[in-house]
Amino acid sequence: MSSRNPPRFVPTLTEVVEPVVRPVPAQAHWEGIEEPVVQRILQRVDLALERRMRTALAQLVQEQVQAMMPRLRDEIEALVRQAVNDAVAQELESK
C-alpha cells in the first residue's frame, strides 16, 4: 500500500449546527374524538401517504431509467457487436 501525504489544507468543522426543533402540534385537536375515529383517520392518512409515495417513487424510477437508456443501448450494442464478431471469427476459423 502506498503512503500518501494528506492534502496541505484539510477542511475542518468550524461551525456547530444545531438541529431545528419544531414544536409538536397540541393534541387539543384530538381531544374529544373517540379512539375508533382517530384510528380510522390515521388509516386514511396512511393509505394516502402510501399511494403518494408509490406514485412519487414510480416517477423517480421512470426518470432514472429514461436517463440511463442511451448508455444501456450503447452497452448492449457493443456487446451484441462483439458477440457477432466472435461468432463470425470462429466460423471462419473452422473452415
Side-chain angles (χ1 to χ4, degrees):
M1 186 178 276
S2 68
S3 62
R4 291 187 341 160
N5 292 332
R8 185 172 177 191
F9 298 104
V10 178
T12 57
L13 178 63
T14 58
E15 180 181 350
V16 176
V17 180
E18 296 293 332
V20 176
V21 178
R22 293 192 173 98
V24 177
Q27 296 294 324
H29 299 290
W30 296 98
E31 289 178 14
I33 298 177
E34 295 179 16
E35 185 64 25
V37 174
V38 171
Q39 290 304 315
R40 286 196 305 268
I41 291 169
L42 292 174
Q43 285 176 343
R44 287 182 183 141
V45 169
D46 186 47
L47 289 172
L49 287 175
E50 185 175 336
R51 272 188 243 122
R52 289 180 182 178
M53 287 176 63
R54 284 179 190 263
T55 301
L57 183 59
Q59 182 179 351
L60 289 172
V61 168
Q62 182 63 31
E63 289 170 4
Q64 292 299 315
V65 168
Q66 287 176 344
M68 291 178 2
M69 284 306 286
R71 184 173 177 195
L72 287 172
R73 282 191 192 116
D74 291 345
E75 291 290 327
I76 291 170
E77 180 183 347
L79 290 171
V80 169
R81 214 177 271 280
Q82 186 63 46
V84 169
N85 287 340
D86 291 348
V88 168
Q90 287 176 354
E91 185 63 29
L92 292 176
E93 288 175 0
S94 66
K95 286 188 176 191

